[in-house]
Amino acid sequence: MSPVWNMARKEFCDGLRNRWLLAISLLFAVLAIGIAWLGAAAAGQLGFTSIAATIASLASLATFLMPLIALLLAYDAIVGEDESGTLLLLLTYPLGRGQILLGKFVGHGLILALATVLGFGCAMLAIALLVDDVELGVLLWAFGRFMLTSTLLGWVFLGLAYALSSRCAEKSTAAGLALGVWFFFVLVFDLALLALLVVGKGQFNPQGLPWLLLLNPTDVYRLINLSGFGTGTQSIGVMALGTDLDVPPQALWACLLAWVAGPLALAYGMFLRRGA
Amino acid sequence: MNVVEIDGVSQRYGRATVLHGLNLNLAPGEVLGLFGHNGAGKTTAMKLVLGLLRASAGQVRVFGRAPSDPHVRRWLGYLPENVTFYPQLSGVETLRHFARLKGAPMHQVDSLLEDVGLTAAATRRVKTYSKGMRQRLGLAQALLGEPRLLLLDEPTVGLDPFATQDLYRLLDRLRAAGTSIILCSHVLPGVEAHINRAAILTQGRLLALGSLAQLRAEAGLPTLIRGSGLQRVEVLQKRWSAAGHVTRPWGDEGLQVAACNGSKVELLRQLLAEDSPSDVEILAPSLEDLYRHYMNSHQITAQEAAL
């Protein structure tokens, strides 16, 4: 078996052992089912409303949760092993730094993927079984896309977590920075963009501004999930910018994939520069 | 071909130089003891051989290749100082994980656990292990895949005297099987019989290198002869002092004489001929004496250089 797979296996088993997989799956399932049935409560309705609305709510939720979970899972991947002394041992074994990193990514990535499929899959199953007049094809398509992009979003933040984990000398610093990364991409970025819109009062090139959304993986993620439902959904906040963005869905997918690859490459570079 | 070749290697961390022009070779099946105070450069030398550090100057070759070569690592076993493992894994899970990473056969895991005496604790979490048990698990880990070069950094730390003896016996067995071993230590008593050569490092410089016999000859340290239960201590003492030997009363009716430059047998003969000691002790200079000797002479030269 290849060294990458052996590293991945250890990380995956750790995820099973410390109940991370179970906890994340349960959290996703409960939240997804809750949102599907209570999501429209604010509008005075109870029960399942529409697939589009459910996916929109779920995507907003996952935008917050997925990065946080990925960062929590992976922030100590390198610096934690270094602090506990096992990194020194690993580096003397016949496997390269790239293989160590990739192994961890595969292991953590599998945990996230499995938790997403288990958790949100349960919600999809519940909707399919309990709601009478739901279009199964649309449901499968929307949820499939949602689960896939959610996993990719998690992987983006795994890569970011490895990058800062390779950079930091102490676990506590890595934890702090991980929180900072989450804060920036999930909260600050969109607020800053909105502020730019309001303060700029149209001085900025209206064609250029929507492209800035591509600089934030969570925005790319939401753009993908909100598209394709026709005119039924209303975009709010910074997502409204996305309606001006004239790019095909494939480009958004490519952008999300690039967001997975970029931070991972960055992490590799950082890990190579780390002393033993 | 030498297993390890270190040629004129210097290592700098920022502005601090921790190794100065180190030259060191290791032949197949040889056990080299690397001795020195904390911060003498022992661990740095090991990290260079392991390929964890790149030498600032000079060249390190392991099995004739660069130390960072993945093939080389397959033949290496390393026990770091203060070894630690994943606390949530059990001993046997830990070893299995590392065996997979090293490509070692799985059946080796159980026999290694047996070898280091951890079979009973194999299914317990490493978190509950004592320092000595962790150290033994670390040793088992280093032996995975039957390495041809073993690097042990302070392997006896935390081991009780019995476990230390077990370790030395294991090293002898490995040496007989042709494994080359570098042993870093500042614990000296007892290790003499198990090493071929000793290297003494201080402040990143090699002070002395050679077999124990060579080092003893080079240092010219006296062998101490102690006789006890003597009838005529004064006579002997007077005679030996007159002959220029350094003597010292030893206990009630005993005498110690320092035998330099091959006068040991002659002094012993005189002792037995002129008196009837109830017991005789002969103390050849130990590794610890040699170590102290080289350290002191280094300090003296350093002080002279400073003046």
Side-chain angles (χ1 to χ4, degrees):
Chain A
M1 276 199 296
S2 90
V4 172
W5 180 242
N6 285 323
M7 283 299 299
R9 179 179 163 155
K10 154 91 173 44
E11 295 303 330
F12 187 76
C13 288
D14 280 355
L16 286 183
R17 188 191 308 268
N18 55 28
R19 314 269 201 289
W20 260 98
L21 183 61
L22 187 74
I24 307 172
S25 307
L26 270 178
L27 180 75
F28 283 166
V30 169
L31 285 174
I33 292 172
I35 278 182
W37 266 269
L38 305 172
Q45 283 176 293
L46 214 57
F48 184 76
T49 46
S50 74
I51 294 172
T54 304
I55 289 287
S57 307
L58 279 177
S60 314
L61 178 82
T63 305
F64 281 86
L65 272 184
M66 209 61 198
L68 193 64
I69 290 169
L71 287 165
L72 272 178
L73 196 64
Y75 81 92
D76 68 341
I78 304 298
V79 71
E81 294 241 16
D82 196 357
E83 264 185 19
S84 71
T86 41
L87 185 65
L88 183 67
L89 220 49
L90 279 183
L91 290 177
T92 66
Y93 271 69
L95 72 168
R97 292 189 181 211
Q99 288 172 318
I100 294 178
L101 200 64
L102 206 59
K104 283 184 175 281
F105 179 72
V106 172
H108 287 146
L110 267 179
I111 293 175
L112 284 185
L114 214 60
T116 307
V117 170
L118 284 176
F120 293 128
C122 279
M124 181 177 74
L125 217 62
I127 293 171
L129 290 177
L130 300 177
V131 180
D132 298 329
D133 52 348
V134 71
E135 288 172 76
L136 279 180
V138 177
L139 182 74
L140 203 64
W141 165 75
F143 259 87
R145 185 178 67 176
F146 169 70
M147 289 191 282
L148 192 60
T149 47
S150 297
T151 304
L152 285 176
L153 183 68
W155 290 0
V156 171
F157 282 85
L158 282 182
L160 288 170
Y162 296 139
L164 54 92
S165 192
S166 302
R167 185 82 180 80
C168 292
E170 277 168 52
K171 218 157 103 171
S172 48
T173 324
L177 277 180
L179 213 60
V181 165
W182 181 80
F183 213 67
F184 176 77
F185 281 117
V186 175
L187 299 173
V188 177
F189 188 92
D190 286 4
L191 280 180
L193 212 56
L194 284 176
L196 206 65
L197 270 177
V198 175
V199 173
K201 288 193 182 115
Q203 286 172 32
F204 296 104
N205 183 357
Q207 262 88 53
L209 216 49
W211 290 95
L212 289 177
L213 287 178
L214 300 185
L215 292 179
N216 185 346
T218 63
D219 286 338
V220 178
Y221 163 76
R222 280 192 289 173
L223 282 177
I224 293 177
N225 277 299
L226 294 182
S227 70
F229 287 113
T231 50
T233 50
Q234 213 166 19
S235 302
I236 46 162
V238 76
M239 279 300 111
L241 271 175
T243 48
D244 299 336
L245 193 63
D246 188 25
V247 289
Q250 291 92 328
L252 289 177
W253 282 92
C255 185
L256 197 56
L257 284 173
W259 262 107
V260 175
L264 210 54
L266 180 72
Y268 181 56
M270 295 276 190
F271 192 26
L272 280 185
R273 276 176 51 198
R274 190 183 182 92
Chain B
M1 189 191 71
N2 281 327
V3 174
V4 178
E5 284 175 358
I6 300 177
D7 281 327
V9 165
S10 297
Q11 183 65 36
R12 282 179 285 275
Y13 289 128
R15 297 173 97 188
T17 308
V18 291
L19 278 181
H20 303 265
L22 183 68
N23 290 303
L24 210 57
N25 290 329
L26 186 72
E30 188 181 26
V31 181
L32 175 76
L34 207 56
F35 303 105
H37 290 322
N38 295 324
K42 294 170 294 177
T43 301
T44 304
M46 278 211 172
K47 285 187 174 175
L48 284 166
V49 174
L50 287 162
L52 293 174
L53 291 175
R54 282 259 288 275
S56 314
Q59 200 188 32
V60 181
R61 305 292 281 174
V62 183
F63 298 109
R65 301 178 189 220
S68 51
D69 193 323
H71 293 285
V72 167
R73 296 200 170 147
R74 176 66 190 77
W75 302 324
L76 283 185
Y78 173 50
L79 171 65
E81 191 179 2
N82 300 321
V83 65
T84 44
F85 293 104
Y86 306 104
Q88 76 279 10
L89 295 189
S90 71
V92 65
E93 284 168 334
T94 304
L95 271 196
R96 280 198 191 128
H97 174 57
F98 283 109
R100 271 185 223 113
L101 289 181
K102 209 168 188 176
M106 277 301 139
H107 62 81
Q108 214 195 348
V109 167
D110 291 328
S111 65
L112 275 177
L113 281 171
E114 173 106 45
D115 281 352
V116 297
L118 283 178
T119 309
T123 52
R124 264 168 54 191
R125 286 182 176 207
V126 175
K127 190 156 56 176
T128 66
Y129 279 22
S130 69
K131 173 101 180 68
M133 289 164 81
R134 272 213 315 273
Q135 193 75 8
R136 281 183 279 162
L137 186 62
L139 189 67
Q141 165 276 137
L143 295 175
L144 283 168
E146 294 173 348
R148 286 157 57 186
L149 171 62
L150 204 53
L151 295 117
L152 307 175
D153 202 348
E154 304 283 356
T156 54
V157 169
L159 294 185
D160 59 52
F162 285 110
T164 306
Q165 279 314 308
D166 285 346
L167 170 75
Y168 286 153
R169 266 201 295 277
L170 186 67
L171 293 189
D172 290 343
R173 225 163 52 225
L174 290 168
R175 173 166 64 163
T179 312
S180 308
I181 302 169
I182 297 182
L183 183 82
C184 261
S185 182
H186 49 234
V187 185
L188 299 161
V191 80
E192 286 110 322
H194 309 281
I195 58 175
N196 295 102
R197 284 196 303 160
I200 299 176
L201 274 176
T202 186
Q203 289 158 12
R205 287 189 170 83
L206 195 60
L207 264 191
L209 173 68
S211 70
L212 239 50
Q214 284 168 340
L215 292 184
R216 278 184 186 131
E218 192 182 297
L221 288 181
T223 301
L224 299 178
I225 301 173
R226 289 172 184 163
S228 44
L230 301 177
Q231 259 83 61
R232 307 184 307 167
V233 173
E234 283 86 22
V235 180
L236 269 176
Q237 191 171 12
K238 211 170 277 173
R239 180 177 161 181
W240 282 341
S241 298
H245 298 294
V246 181
T247 58
R248 199 155 67 100
W250 182 254
D252 242 0
E253 294 174 319
L255 188 64
Q256 169 183 301
V257 60
C260 291
N261 309 324
S263 58
K264 176 174 67 184
V265 180
E266 182 54 36
L267 283 172
L268 202 57
R269 197 171 286 143
Q270 286 174 11
L271 176 69
L272 294 173
E274 311 213 346
D275 210 324
S276 48
S278 61
D279 191 17
V280 176
E281 268 183 283
I282 301 168
L283 301 165
S286 66
L287 186 56
E288 204 166 346
D289 298 327
L290 288 168
Y291 180 71
R292 201 167 289 137
H293 167 81
Y294 280 107
M295 283 298 175
N296 287 340
S297 59
H298 172 75
Q299 264 165 10
I300 290 163
T301 31
Q303 274 161 10
E304 276 169 359
L307 293 172

